[in-house]
Amino acid sequence: MQPWLPETALTAAGLTALAAQDASDKQITCVKAPFKSLIDHVFVSPNLVPCGHDFMILALDRTIERFLEVSDHRPVLLRLAGPIGER
């Protein structure tokens, strides 16, 4: 039997895990050892699921010198855009 996980309850409630592909690809957001793992998630309702690649983990620790002195987490970016002219 699978252990109960918060993401299981959220997806069972109809929310979409935007980091699901990243989790499958073994990506990480917490970059300090020994806790390297994907622990930062974004869940959205089905009507807000972006098209294409509008969710990403930014590996700033690879491009900004001394980034790990500021944070041990890679930020995530989500772009939401609705139809123009609708309210």
Side-chain angles (χ1 to χ4, degrees):
M1 180 175 178
Q2 289 272 16
W4 181 86
L5 299 170
E7 57 267 22
T8 304
L10 292 170
T11 54
L15 297 177
T16 300
L18 297 183
Q21 184 61 49
D22 295 299
S24 295
D25 293 342
K26 305 291 186 214
Q27 297 296 318
I28 61 171
T29 56
C30 181
V31 294
K32 285 204 175 170
F35 306 108
K36 292 183 177 188
S37 61
L38 179 64
I39 62 171
D40 300 288
H41 300 273
V42 175
F43 289 82
V44 296
S45 64
N47 59 332
L48 292 176
V49 174
C51 298
H53 300 287
D54 289 341
F55 175 84
M56 64 188 73
I57 297 170
L58 304 175
L60 298 181
D61 55 300
R62 293 182 182 172
T63 59
I64 297 177
E65 187 178 324
R66 298 173 50 195
F67 177 82
L68 294 176
E69 293 177 18
V70 177
S71 178
D72 60 354
H73 288 253
R74 291 176 172 166
V76 296
L77 174 69
L78 168 62
R79 178 177 47 190
L80 296 173
I84 297 174
E86 290 189 20
R87 292 183 182 244

Coordinates of all heavy atoms in Angstrom, one line a residue:
M1 N 0.8 -1.2 0.0 CA 0.0 0.0 0.0 C 0.9 1.2 0.0 O 1.9 1.3 0.7 CB -0.9 0.0 1.2 CG -1.8 1.2 1.3 SD -2.9 1.0 2.8 CE -3.8 2.5 2.7
Q2 N 0.5 2.2 -0.8 CA 1.3 3.5 -0.9 C 1.0 4.3 0.3 O -0.1 4.4 0.8 CB 0.8 4.3 -2.2 CG 1.2 3.7 -3.5 CD 2.6 4.2 -3.9 OE1 3.3 4.7 -3.1 NE2 2.9 4.0 -5.1
P3 N 2.1 5.0 0.8 CA 1.9 5.9 1.9 C 1.0 7.1 1.5 O 1.1 7.5 0.3 CB 3.3 6.3 2.3 CG 4.1 6.1 1.1 CD 3.4 5.0 0.4
W4 N 0.3 7.7 2.5 CA -0.5 8.9 2.1 C 0.5 10.0 1.9 O 1.4 10.3 2.7 CB -1.4 9.2 3.3 CG -2.3 10.4 3.0 CD1 -3.4 10.4 2.3 CD2 -2.0 11.8 3.3 NE1 -3.9 11.7 2.1 CE2 -3.0 12.6 2.8 CE3 -0.9 12.4 4.0 CZ2 -3.0 13.9 2.9 CZ3 -1.0 13.8 4.1 CH2 -2.0 14.5 3.6
L5 N 0.4 10.7 0.9 CA 1.2 11.9 0.6 C 0.3 13.1 0.3 O -0.8 12.9 -0.3 CB 2.1 11.6 -0.7 CG 3.1 10.5 -0.5 CD1 3.7 10.2 -1.9 CD2 4.1 10.8 0.5
P6 N 0.7 14.3 0.7 CA -0.2 15.5 0.4 C -0.5 15.6 -1.0 O -1.6 16.0 -1.4 CB 0.7 16.6 1.0 CG 1.6 16.0 1.9 CD 1.9 14.6 1.4
E7 N 0.5 15.4 -1.9 CA 0.2 15.5 -3.4 C -0.8 14.5 -3.9 O -1.6 14.8 -4.8 CB 1.5 15.5 -4.2 CG 2.3 14.2 -4.0 CD 3.4 14.3 -3.0 OE1 3.3 15.2 -2.1 OE2 4.3 13.5 -3.1
T8 N -0.9 13.4 -3.2 CA -1.9 12.4 -3.6 C -3.3 13.0 -3.3 O -4.2 12.9 -4.1 CB -1.7 11.1 -2.9 OG1 -0.4 10.6 -3.1 CG2 -2.7 10.0 -3.3
A9 N -3.5 13.6 -2.1 CA -4.8 14.1 -1.8 C -5.1 15.3 -2.7 O -6.3 15.5 -3.1 CB -4.7 14.6 -0.3
L10 N -4.1 16.1 -3.0 CA -4.4 17.3 -3.9 C -4.8 16.9 -5.3 O -5.7 17.4 -5.9 CB -3.2 18.2 -3.9 CG -2.9 18.9 -2.6 CD1 -1.5 19.6 -2.7 CD2 -4.0 19.9 -2.2
T11 N -4.1 15.9 -5.9 CA -4.5 15.4 -7.2 C -5.8 14.7 -7.2 O -6.6 14.8 -8.1 CB -3.4 14.5 -7.8 OG1 -3.1 13.5 -7.0 CG2 -2.1 15.3 -8.1
A12 N -6.1 14.0 -6.1 CA -7.4 13.3 -5.9 C -8.5 14.3 -5.9 O -9.6 14.0 -6.3 CB -7.4 12.4 -4.7
A13 N -8.2 15.5 -5.4 CA -9.2 16.6 -5.3 C -9.4 17.3 -6.7 O -10.1 18.3 -6.8 CB -8.8 17.6 -4.2
G14 N -8.6 16.9 -7.7 CA -8.7 17.5 -9.0 C -7.7 18.5 -9.4 O -7.8 19.1 -10.4
L15 N -6.7 18.8 -8.5 CA -5.7 19.8 -8.8 C -4.6 19.1 -9.7 O -4.4 17.9 -9.6 CB -5.1 20.3 -7.5 CG -6.1 21.1 -6.7 CD1 -5.4 21.6 -5.4 CD2 -6.7 22.3 -7.4
T16 N -3.9 19.9 -10.4 CA -2.8 19.5 -11.3 C -1.5 19.8 -10.7 O -1.3 21.0 -10.4 CB -3.0 20.1 -12.7 OG1 -4.2 19.7 -13.3 CG2 -1.9 19.6 -13.6
A17 N -0.6 18.8 -10.6 CA 0.7 19.1 -10.1 C 1.6 19.5 -11.3 O 1.9 18.7 -12.2 CB 1.3 17.8 -9.5
L18 N 2.0 20.8 -11.3 CA 2.8 21.3 -12.4 C 4.2 20.8 -12.4 O 4.9 20.8 -13.4 CB 2.8 22.8 -12.4 CG 1.4 23.4 -12.6 CD1 1.5 24.9 -12.7 CD2 0.7 22.9 -13.9
A19 N 4.7 20.3 -11.3 CA 6.1 19.7 -11.2 C 6.1 18.2 -11.4 O 7.2 17.6 -11.3 CB 6.7 20.1 -9.9
A20 N 5.0 17.6 -11.9 CA 5.0 16.2 -12.0 C 6.0 15.7 -13.0 O 6.7 14.7 -12.7 CB 3.6 15.7 -12.5
Q21 N 6.2 16.3 -14.1 CA 7.2 15.9 -15.1 C 8.6 16.0 -14.5 O 9.5 15.2 -14.7 CB 7.1 16.6 -16.4 CG 8.1 16.1 -17.5 CD 7.8 14.7 -17.8 OE1 6.7 14.3 -18.1 NE2 8.9 13.9 -17.9
D22 N 8.8 17.1 -13.8 CA 10.2 17.4 -13.2 C 10.4 16.3 -12.1 O 11.6 15.8 -12.0 CB 10.2 18.7 -12.5 CG 10.1 19.9 -13.6 OD1 11.0 19.9 -14.4 OD2 9.2 20.6 -13.5
A23 N 9.4 15.9 -11.4 CA 9.6 14.8 -10.4 C 10.0 13.5 -11.1 O 10.9 12.8 -10.7 CB 8.3 14.6 -9.6
S24 N 9.3 13.2 -12.2 CA 9.6 12.0 -13.0 C 11.1 12.0 -13.5 O 11.7 11.0 -13.7 CB 8.7 11.8 -14.2 OG 7.4 11.6 -13.7
D25 N 11.5 13.3 -13.9 CA 12.9 13.4 -14.4 C 13.9 13.6 -13.3 O 15.1 13.9 -13.6 CB 12.9 14.7 -15.3 CG 12.1 14.5 -16.6 OD1 11.8 13.3 -16.9 OD2 11.8 15.5 -17.2
K26 N 13.5 13.4 -12.1 CA 14.5 13.5 -10.9 C 15.1 14.8 -10.8 O 16.3 15.0 -10.3 CB 15.6 12.4 -11.0 CG 15.1 11.0 -11.2 CD 14.4 10.5 -9.9 CE 14.0 9.0 -10.1 NZ 12.8 8.7 -9.4
Q27 N 14.4 15.9 -11.1 CA 14.8 17.3 -10.9 C 14.8 17.6 -9.4 O 14.0 16.9 -8.7 CB 14.0 18.3 -11.7 CG 14.1 18.1 -13.2 CD 15.5 18.3 -13.7 OE1 16.2 19.2 -13.3 NE2 15.9 17.4 -14.6
I28 N 15.5 18.6 -9.0 CA 15.5 19.0 -7.6 C 15.3 20.5 -7.4 O 15.6 21.3 -8.3 CB 16.8 18.6 -6.9 CG1 18.0 19.3 -7.5 CG2 17.0 17.1 -6.9 CD1 19.3 19.1 -6.7
T29 N 14.7 20.9 -6.3 CA 14.6 22.3 -5.9 C 15.4 22.6 -4.7 O 15.8 23.7 -4.5 CB 13.1 22.8 -5.7 OG1 12.5 21.9 -4.8 CG2 12.4 22.7 -7.1
C30 N 15.5 21.6 -3.8 CA 16.4 21.8 -2.6 C 17.8 21.3 -3.0 O 17.9 20.1 -3.3 CB 15.8 21.1 -1.4 SG 16.8 21.3 0.1
V31 N 18.8 22.2 -3.0 CA 20.0 21.8 -3.6 C 21.2 21.5 -2.6 O 22.3 21.1 -3.0 CB 20.5 22.9 -4.6 CG1 19.6 22.9 -5.8 CG2 20.6 24.2 -3.9
K32 N 20.9 21.7 -1.3 CA 22.0 21.4 -0.3 C 21.9 20.0 0.2 O 20.9 19.5 0.5 CB 21.8 22.4 0.8 CG 22.3 23.8 0.5 CD 22.8 24.6 1.7 CE 23.3 25.9 1.2 NZ 23.6 26.8 2.3
A33 N 23.1 19.3 0.2 CA 23.2 18.0 0.7 C 23.0 18.0 2.2 O 23.3 19.0 2.8 CB 24.5 17.4 0.3
P34 N 22.4 17.0 2.8 CA 22.0 15.7 2.2 C 20.6 15.7 1.8 O 20.0 14.6 1.6 CB 22.3 14.7 3.4 CG 21.9 15.5 4.6 CD 22.3 16.9 4.2
F35 N 19.9 16.8 1.7 CA 18.5 16.9 1.5 C 18.1 17.2 0.0 O 17.0 17.7 -0.2 CB 17.9 18.0 2.4 CG 18.2 17.7 3.8 CD1 19.1 18.6 4.5 CD2 17.7 16.7 4.5 CE1 19.4 18.4 5.8 CE2 18.0 16.5 5.8 CZ 18.8 17.3 6.5
K36 N 18.9 16.9 -0.9 CA 18.7 17.2 -2.3 C 17.4 16.5 -2.8 O 17.4 15.3 -2.8 CB 19.8 16.8 -3.2 CG 21.1 17.7 -3.0 CD 22.2 17.3 -4.0 CE 23.3 18.2 -3.8 NZ 24.4 18.0 -4.8
S37 N 16.4 17.3 -3.1 CA 15.1 16.6 -3.6 C 14.2 17.7 -4.1 O 14.5 18.9 -4.1 CB 14.4 16.0 -2.4 OG 14.1 16.9 -1.4
L38 N 13.1 17.3 -4.7 CA 12.1 18.1 -5.3 C 11.0 18.3 -4.2 O 10.2 17.5 -4.0 CB 11.5 17.5 -6.5 CG 10.3 18.4 -7.2 CD1 10.9 19.7 -7.7 CD2 9.7 17.6 -8.3
I39 N 11.1 19.4 -3.4 CA 10.2 19.7 -2.3 C 9.3 20.9 -2.6 O 8.4 21.1 -1.8 CB 10.9 19.8 -1.0 CG1 11.9 21.0 -1.0 CG2 11.7 18.5 -0.7 CD1 12.5 21.3 0.4
D40 N 9.6 21.6 -3.6 CA 8.7 22.8 -3.9 C 7.8 22.5 -5.0 O 8.2 22.1 -6.1 CB 9.6 24.0 -4.3 CG 10.6 24.3 -3.1 OD1 10.1 24.9 -2.1 OD2 11.8 24.0 -3.2
H41 N 6.5 22.6 -4.8 CA 5.5 22.2 -5.7 C 4.5 23.3 -6.0 O 4.3 24.1 -5.1 CB 4.7 20.9 -5.2 CG 5.6 19.7 -5.0 ND1 6.0 18.9 -6.0 CD2 6.3 19.3 -3.9 CE1 6.8 17.9 -5.5 NE2 7.0 18.2 -4.2
V42 N 3.9 23.3 -7.1 CA 2.8 24.2 -7.4 C 1.6 23.3 -7.9 O 1.8 22.5 -8.9 CB 3.2 25.2 -8.5 CG1 2.0 26.0 -8.9 CG2 4.3 26.1 -8.0
F43 N 0.5 23.5 -7.3 CA -0.8 22.8 -7.8 C -1.8 23.8 -8.2 O -1.9 24.8 -7.5 CB -1.4 21.9 -6.6 CG -0.6 20.7 -6.3 CD1 0.6 20.8 -5.4 CD2 -0.9 19.5 -6.8 CE1 1.3 19.7 -5.1 CE2 -0.2 18.4 -6.4 CZ 0.9 18.5 -5.6
V44 N -2.4 23.6 -9.3 CA -3.5 24.6 -9.8 C -4.7 23.8 -10.2 O -4.7 22.6 -10.5 CB -2.9 25.4 -11.0 CG1 -1.8 26.3 -10.6 CG2 -2.6 24.5 -12.2
S45 N -5.8 24.5 -10.2 CA -7.1 23.9 -10.6 C -7.0 23.7 -12.1 O -6.2 24.4 -12.9 CB -8.3 24.8 -10.3 OG -8.2 26.1 -10.9
P46 N -7.8 22.8 -12.7 CA -7.7 22.4 -14.1 C -7.9 23.6 -15.0 O -7.3 23.6 -16.1 CB -8.9 21.4 -14.3 CG -9.1 20.8 -12.9 CD -8.8 21.9 -12.0
N47 N -8.7 24.6 -14.7 CA -8.9 25.7 -15.6 C -7.7 26.7 -15.6 O -7.7 27.6 -16.4 CB -10.2 26.5 -15.3 CG -10.2 27.0 -13.8 OD1 -9.5 26.5 -13.0 ND2 -10.9 28.1 -13.6
L48 N -6.7 26.5 -14.8 CA -5.5 27.3 -14.8 C -4.3 26.6 -15.3 O -3.2 27.2 -15.3 CB -5.2 27.8 -13.3 CG -6.2 28.8 -12.7 CD1 -5.8 29.1 -11.3 CD2 -6.3 30.1 -13.6
V49 N -4.4 25.4 -15.7 CA -3.2 24.6 -16.2 C -2.7 25.4 -17.5 O -3.4 25.6 -18.4 CB -3.6 23.2 -16.5 CG1 -2.4 22.5 -17.2 CG2 -4.0 22.5 -15.3
P50 N -1.4 25.8 -17.4 CA -0.9 26.5 -18.6 C -0.6 25.6 -19.7 O -0.4 24.4 -19.6 CB 0.5 27.1 -18.0 CG 0.8 26.2 -16.9 CD -0.5 25.6 -16.3
C51 N -0.6 26.2 -20.9 CA -0.2 25.4 -22.1 C 1.3 25.5 -22.3 O 1.9 26.4 -22.0 CB -0.9 26.1 -23.3 SG -2.7 26.1 -23.2
G52 N 1.8 24.4 -22.8 CA 3.2 24.4 -23.1 C 4.1 24.3 -21.9 O 3.7 23.7 -20.9
H53 N 5.2 25.0 -22.0 CA 6.3 24.9 -20.9 C 6.2 26.2 -20.1 O 7.2 26.9 -20.1 CB 7.6 24.6 -21.5 CG 7.7 23.4 -22.3 ND1 7.7 22.1 -21.7 CD2 7.7 23.1 -23.6 CE1 7.8 21.2 -22.6 NE2 7.8 21.7 -23.8
D54 N 5.1 26.4 -19.4 CA 5.0 27.7 -18.7 C 5.3 27.5 -17.2 O 5.0 28.3 -16.4 CB 3.6 28.3 -18.8 CG 3.4 28.8 -20.2 OD1 4.4 29.1 -20.9 OD2 2.3 29.0 -20.6
F55 N 5.8 26.3 -16.8 CA 6.3 26.0 -15.5 C 7.7 25.5 -15.6 O 8.0 24.6 -16.4 CB 5.4 25.0 -14.8 CG 5.9 24.6 -13.4 CD1 5.6 25.4 -12.3 CD2 6.8 23.5 -13.2 CE1 6.1 25.0 -11.0 CE2 7.3 23.2 -12.0 CZ 7.0 23.9 -10.9
M56 N 8.6 26.1 -14.8 CA 10.0 25.6 -14.8 C 10.7 25.8 -13.5 O 10.3 26.7 -12.7 CB 10.8 26.2 -15.9 CG 10.9 27.7 -15.8 SD 11.6 28.5 -17.2 CE 10.3 28.5 -18.4
I57 N 11.7 25.0 -13.2 CA 12.6 25.1 -12.1 C 13.8 25.9 -12.6 O 14.4 25.5 -13.6 CB 13.0 23.8 -11.5 CG1 11.8 23.0 -11.0 CG2 14.0 23.9 -10.4 CD1 12.0 21.6 -10.6
L58 N 14.1 27.0 -12.0 CA 15.2 27.8 -12.4 C 16.5 27.4 -11.6 O 16.6 27.6 -10.4 CB 15.0 29.3 -12.2 CG 13.7 29.8 -12.8 CD1 13.4 31.3 -12.4 CD2 13.7 29.7 -14.3
A59 N 17.5 26.9 -12.3 CA 18.7 26.4 -11.7 C 19.7 27.6 -11.5 O 20.8 27.6 -12.1 CB 19.3 25.3 -12.5
L60 N 19.3 28.6 -10.7 CA 20.1 29.7 -10.5 C 21.4 29.4 -9.8 O 22.4 30.2 -10.0 CB 19.3 30.8 -9.8 CG 18.1 31.3 -10.5 CD1 17.4 32.4 -9.6 CD2 18.4 31.9 -11.8
D61 N 21.4 28.3 -9.1 CA 22.7 28.0 -8.4 C 23.8 27.6 -9.4 O 24.9 27.6 -9.0 CB 22.4 26.8 -7.4 CG 21.8 25.6 -8.1 OD1 20.7 25.7 -8.7 OD2 22.4 24.5 -8.1
R62 N 23.4 27.3 -10.6 CA 24.4 27.0 -11.6 C 24.9 28.3 -12.4 O 25.9 28.2 -13.0 CB 23.8 26.0 -12.7 CG 23.5 24.7 -12.1 CD 23.0 23.8 -13.2 NE 22.7 22.5 -12.6 CZ 22.0 21.5 -13.3 NH1 21.6 21.8 -14.5 NH2 21.8 20.4 -12.7
T63 N 24.1 29.4 -12.3 CA 24.5 30.5 -13.1 C 24.8 31.8 -12.3 O 25.4 32.7 -12.8 CB 23.3 30.9 -14.1 OG1 22.1 31.1 -13.3 CG2 23.1 29.7 -15.1
I64 N 24.4 31.8 -11.0 CA 24.7 33.0 -10.2 C 25.7 32.7 -9.2 O 25.5 31.8 -8.3 CB 23.4 33.6 -9.6 CG1 22.4 34.0 -10.6 CG2 23.7 34.7 -8.6 CD1 21.1 34.5 -10.1
E65 N 26.8 33.3 -9.2 CA 27.9 33.1 -8.3 C 27.4 33.3 -6.8 O 26.7 34.3 -6.6 CB 29.1 34.0 -8.6 CG 30.3 33.7 -7.7 CD 31.5 34.6 -8.1 OE1 31.6 34.9 -9.3 OE2 32.2 34.9 -7.2
R66 N 27.7 32.4 -5.9 CA 27.4 32.5 -4.5 C 25.9 32.5 -4.2 O 25.4 32.9 -3.2 CB 28.0 33.8 -3.9 CG 29.5 33.8 -4.0 CD 30.2 35.0 -3.6 NE 29.7 35.5 -2.3 CZ 29.9 36.7 -1.8 NH1 30.6 37.6 -2.5 NH2 29.5 37.1 -0.7
F67 N 25.1 31.9 -5.2 CA 23.7 31.8 -5.0 C 23.3 31.0 -3.7 O 22.4 31.4 -3.0 CB 23.0 31.1 -6.2 CG 21.5 30.9 -6.0 CD1 20.6 32.0 -6.3 CD2 21.0 29.7 -5.6 CE1 19.3 31.8 -6.1 CE2 19.6 29.5 -5.4 CZ 18.8 30.5 -5.7
L68 N 24.1 30.0 -3.4 CA 23.8 29.1 -2.3 C 24.0 29.8 -0.9 O 23.6 29.3 0.1 CB 24.5 27.8 -2.4 CG 24.1 26.9 -3.5 CD1 25.0 25.7 -3.6 CD2 22.6 26.5 -3.4
E69 N 24.7 31.0 -1.0 CA 24.8 31.8 0.3 C 23.5 32.5 0.6 O 23.2 32.9 1.7 CB 25.9 32.8 0.1 CG 27.3 32.1 0.1 CD 28.4 33.2 -0.1 OE1 28.2 34.4 0.1 OE2 29.5 32.7 -0.6
V70 N 22.6 32.6 -0.4 CA 21.3 33.3 -0.2 C 20.2 32.3 0.0 O 19.3 32.5 0.9 CB 21.0 34.1 -1.5 CG1 19.6 34.8 -1.4 CG2 22.1 35.2 -1.7
S71 N 20.2 31.2 -0.7 CA 19.1 30.2 -0.6 C 19.6 28.8 -0.9 O 20.5 28.7 -1.7 CB 18.0 30.6 -1.5 OG 16.9 29.7 -1.5
D72 N 18.9 27.9 -0.3 CA 19.2 26.5 -0.6 C 18.1 25.9 -1.5 O 18.1 24.7 -1.7 CB 19.4 25.6 0.6 CG 18.2 25.6 1.5 OD1 17.2 26.3 1.2 OD2 18.2 24.9 2.5
H73 N 17.3 26.7 -2.0 CA 16.2 26.3 -2.9 C 16.3 27.0 -4.3 O 16.6 28.2 -4.4 CB 14.8 26.6 -2.4 CG 14.4 25.8 -1.2 ND1 13.5 24.8 -1.3 CD2 14.9 25.8 0.1 CE1 13.4 24.2 -0.1 NE2 14.2 24.8 0.8
R74 N 16.1 26.2 -5.3 CA 15.9 26.7 -6.7 C 14.5 27.3 -6.8 O 13.6 26.6 -6.4 CB 16.1 25.7 -7.7 CG 17.5 25.2 -7.8 CD 17.6 24.1 -8.8 NE 19.1 23.7 -9.0 CZ 19.5 22.6 -9.6 NH1 18.6 21.7 -10.1 NH2 20.7 22.4 -9.8
P75 N 14.4 28.5 -7.3 CA 13.0 29.0 -7.4 C 12.3 28.3 -8.6 O 12.9 27.8 -9.5 CB 13.2 30.5 -7.8 CG 14.6 30.6 -8.3 CD 15.4 29.4 -7.7
V76 N 10.9 28.4 -8.5 CA 10.1 27.9 -9.5 C 9.4 29.1 -10.2 O 9.2 30.1 -9.5 CB 9.1 26.8 -9.0 CG1 9.8 25.6 -8.5 CG2 8.2 27.4 -8.0
L77 N 9.1 28.9 -11.5 CA 8.5 30.0 -12.2 C 7.2 29.5 -12.9 O 7.3 28.4 -13.5 CB 9.5 30.5 -13.3 CG 8.9 31.6 -14.3 CD1 8.6 32.9 -13.6 CD2 9.9 31.8 -15.4
L78 N 6.2 30.2 -12.7 CA 4.9 29.8 -13.3 C 4.3 31.0 -14.1 O 4.2 32.1 -13.5 CB 3.9 29.3 -12.3 CG 2.5 29.1 -12.7 CD1 2.3 28.1 -13.8 CD2 1.6 28.8 -11.5
R79 N 4.0 30.8 -15.3 CA 3.4 31.9 -16.1 C 1.9 31.5 -16.4 O 1.7 30.5 -16.9 CB 4.1 32.1 -17.4 CG 3.5 33.2 -18.3 CD 4.2 33.5 -19.5 NE 4.6 32.3 -20.2 CZ 5.5 32.2 -21.2 NH1 6.0 33.3 -21.6 NH2 5.7 31.1 -21.8
L80 N 1.0 32.4 -15.9 CA -0.4 32.1 -16.2 C -0.9 33.2 -17.1 O -0.6 34.4 -16.9 CB -1.2 32.2 -14.9 CG -0.9 31.1 -13.9 CD1 -1.7 31.3 -12.6 CD2 -1.3 29.7 -14.4
A81 N -1.6 32.9 -18.1 CA -2.1 33.9 -19.1 C -3.5 33.4 -19.5 O -3.8 32.2 -19.8 CB -1.3 34.0 -20.3
G82 N -4.5 34.3 -19.5 CA -5.8 34.1 -19.8 C -6.1 34.6 -21.2 O -5.3 35.4 -21.8
P83 N -7.3 34.3 -21.7 CA -7.7 34.8 -23.0 C -7.8 36.4 -23.0 O -8.3 36.9 -22.0 CB -9.0 34.2 -23.3 CG -9.1 33.1 -22.4 CD -8.3 33.4 -21.2
I84 N -7.3 37.0 -24.0 CA -7.4 38.5 -24.1 C -8.8 38.9 -24.3 O -9.5 38.4 -25.1 CB -6.5 39.0 -25.2 CG1 -5.0 38.6 -24.9 CG2 -6.6 40.5 -25.4 CD1 -4.0 39.0 -26.0
G85 N -9.2 39.9 -23.5 CA -10.5 40.5 -23.7 C -11.6 39.9 -22.9 O -12.7 40.4 -22.8
E86 N -11.4 38.8 -22.2 CA -12.3 38.1 -21.3 C -12.1 38.5 -19.9 O -11.0 38.8 -19.4 CB -12.3 36.6 -21.5 CG -12.8 36.1 -22.8 CD -12.9 34.6 -22.8 OE1 -13.0 34.0 -21.7 OE2 -12.9 34.0 -23.9
R87 N -13.2 38.6 -19.1 CA -13.1 39.0 -17.7 C -13.9 37.9 -16.9 O -14.8 37.3 -17.3 CB -13.7 40.3 -17.4 CG -12.9 41.4 -18.1 CD -13.5 42.7 -17.7 NE -12.7 43.8 -18.3 CZ -12.0 44.7 -17.7 NH1 -12.0 44.7 -16.4 NH2 -11.3 45.5 -18.3

